[in-house]
């Protein structure tokens, strides 16, 4: 028994080494040897193939199609059916290589085959990638495929669709989508309710639509929701400015700062910058703010320089607010 376990581990190690060297055929040969020398449970086989599929997905030396070949080999040579996790790994590999249509076709085939149900997260990968490429039509196509698979859209799905609309220069469409999902009960949205990142997306849409007042309203709501989550024991980003939640998104704070300047609220903009500075200088202060980035100060200086109040661009802001 011990000898078979050692043979399994050795063959698995050689398969991983071959894959890291870009030799998919060598990896498959090692897997064939593994199957001959030791019979394992389906879960153990899936775990092994999943590990190798992650290597193939992440390795720059693995050739295109390596993950798909591993997935196919698991099913045909090892005789083990796919799982939502192994399907997700193949989708992720396709998305990473920019083959979004191929990833969507794979999910459609899996959903129609009935062997395993794909996950909402697998479709979300495609929606997010399409949004990043400003491919609004593909993002919505993936969403409709998700619905045909009888899956429930997540807040991530909503956020990606809003991003797709905003990046396609349709910010009002993004705001309407958010409003439908945010209504109680939701109107025309059958998925999960908006989350903190949805509010950041709504801020971006409002900024693109040149609605600074709406940006400020969404931001205040974002901070309130973060505070509520912290009181309820959640991780709403309420700890010392070092978290990575939506309420500590530098982009969100920059948009809020810019909106205050657009509305003529210089003091409010300086206070926001002061909170960010406090978070950077006193990480244990409990300030719910991210550390300012270079573009944060540039935004503040540009707002003061371009305000037409007699100052040249780049004039320092007044020393209001803690830490400025």
């Amino acid at each position: 028994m011990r000898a078979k376990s050692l043979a399994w581990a050795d063959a698995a190690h050689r398969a991983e080494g071959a894959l890291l060297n870009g030799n998919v055929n060598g990896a498959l040969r090692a897997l064939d040897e593994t199957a001959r020398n030791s019979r394992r449970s389906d879960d153990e086989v899936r775990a092994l193939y999943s590990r190798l599929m992650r290597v193939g997905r992440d390795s720059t030396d693995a050739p295109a199609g390596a993950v798909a070949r591993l997935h196919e080999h698991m099913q045909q040579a090892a005789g083990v059916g796919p799982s939502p996790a192994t399907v997700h790994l193949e989708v992720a590999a396709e998305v990473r290589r920019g083959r979004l249509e191929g990833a969507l076709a794979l999910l459609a085939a899996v959903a129609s085959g009935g062997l395993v149900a794909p996950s909402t997260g697998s479709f979300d990968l495609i929606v997010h990638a399409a949004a990043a490429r400003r491919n609004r039509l593909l993002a919505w196509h993936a969403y409709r495929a998700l619905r045909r698979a009888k899956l429930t859209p997540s807040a991530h799905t909503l956020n990606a669709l809003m991003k797709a609309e905003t990046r396609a220069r349709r910010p009002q469409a993004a705001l309407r989508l958010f409003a439908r999902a945010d209504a109680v009960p939701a109107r025309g949205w059958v998925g999960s309710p908006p989350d903190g990142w949805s509010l950041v997306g709504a801020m971006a849409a409002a900024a693109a639509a040149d609605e600074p007042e709406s940006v400020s309203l969404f931001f205040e709501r974002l901070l309130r929701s973060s505070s509520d989550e912290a009181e309820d024991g959640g991780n709403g980003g309420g700890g010392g400015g070092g978290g990575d939640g939506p309420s500590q998104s530098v982009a969100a704070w920059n948009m809020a700062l810019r909106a205050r300047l657009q509305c003529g609220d210089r003091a409010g903009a300086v206070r926001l910058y002061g909170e960010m500075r406090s978070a950077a200088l006193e990480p244990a202060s409990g300030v719910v703010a991210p550390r300012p980035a270079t573009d944060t100060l540039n935004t503040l200086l540009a707002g003061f320089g371009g305000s037409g109040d007699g100052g040249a661009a780049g004039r320092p802001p007044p020393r209001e607010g803690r830490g400025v």
Side-chain angles (χ1 to χ4, degrees):
M1 183 69 179
R2 179 174 174 78
K4 287 187 176 182
S5 295
L6 290 174
W8 162 275
D10 178 65
H13 180 72
R14 285 188 287 109
E16 185 170 345
L19 197 57
L20 286 170
N21 288 324
N23 184 0
V24 181
N25 290 331
L28 298 181
R29 284 194 297 271
L31 288 168
D32 288 334
E33 183 179 336
T34 302
R36 286 195 302 271
N37 292 335
S38 177
R39 177 58 189 165
R40 297 284 168 154
S41 69
D42 286 359
D43 286 344
E44 288 177 302
V45 173
R46 283 196 196 93
L48 171 60
Y49 276 86
S50 294
R51 190 179 87 200
L52 295 175
M53 289 169 71
R54 282 190 288 271
V55 171
R57 177 197 63 189
D58 299 336
S59 174
T60 56
D61 292 323
V67 175
R69 290 185 63 188
L70 285 165
H71 202 200
E72 181 182 29
H73 190 272
M74 181 188 79
Q75 297 170 68
Q76 296 185 356
V80 175
S83 69
T86 59
V87 171
H88 186 81
L89 284 168
E90 185 173 349
V91 170
E94 291 290 294
V95 169
R96 181 166 294 194
R97 292 185 179 273
R99 295 196 291 262
L100 306 188
E101 290 83 357
L104 191 54
L106 167 65
L107 284 175
V110 169
S112 63
L115 288 177
V116 61
S119 68
T120 296
S122 296
F123 285 95
D124 284 348
L125 282 178
I126 302 172
V127 181
H128 273 277
R133 293 179 169 210
R134 294 182 168 85
N135 192 336
R136 171 182 171 272
L137 294 179
L138 181 58
W140 281 101
H141 186 40
Y143 169 77
R144 287 190 289 272
L146 181 156
R147 296 293 296 132
R148 285 195 297 272
K150 296 181 172 57
L151 295 171
T152 301
S154 67
H156 297 295
T157 317
L158 171 66
N159 300 343
L161 291 172
M162 291 171 59
K163 181 178 180 180
E165 294 288 12
T166 300
R167 291 177 70 90
R169 299 182 180 180
R170 291 167 47 90
Q172 292 293 350
L175 291 171
R176 287 193 296 271
L177 176 59
F178 175 82
R180 292 200 302 272
D182 194 43
V184 181
R187 304 187 310 269
W189 175 253
V190 295
S192 300
D195 61 7
W197 289 111
S198 307
L199 289 167
V200 177
M203 289 178 66
D210 196 22
E211 297 181 8
E213 296 87 354
S214 296
V215 173
S216 295
L217 290 174
F218 287 131
F219 182 67
E220 295 303 324
R221 181 175 162 187
L222 175 64
L223 296 186
R224 287 196 304 273
S225 67
S226 172
S227 176
D228 291 344
E229 288 178 7
E231 291 177 3
D232 291 340
N235 59 354
D244 56 0
S247 66
Q248 293 186 332
S249 160
V250 176
W253 282 70
N254 286 354
M255 285 188 286
L257 190 152
R258 186 179 298 110
R260 278 161 170 67
L261 290 170
Q262 288 178 294
C263 293
D265 183 10
R266 285 183 165 194
V270 171
R271 278 194 297 272
L272 285 182
Y273 183 74
E275 290 185 42
M276 297 174 78
R277 287 282 293 161
S278 293
L281 297 174
E282 304 174 45
S285 65
V287 175
V288 183
R291 298 185 178 192
T294 302
D295 56 345
T296 307
L297 181 58
N298 291 342
T299 297
L300 188 64
L301 293 176
F304 276 88
S307 64
D309 192 28
R315 184 181 68 183
R319 296 184 62 83
E320 298 181 44
R322 179 179 171 194
V324 176

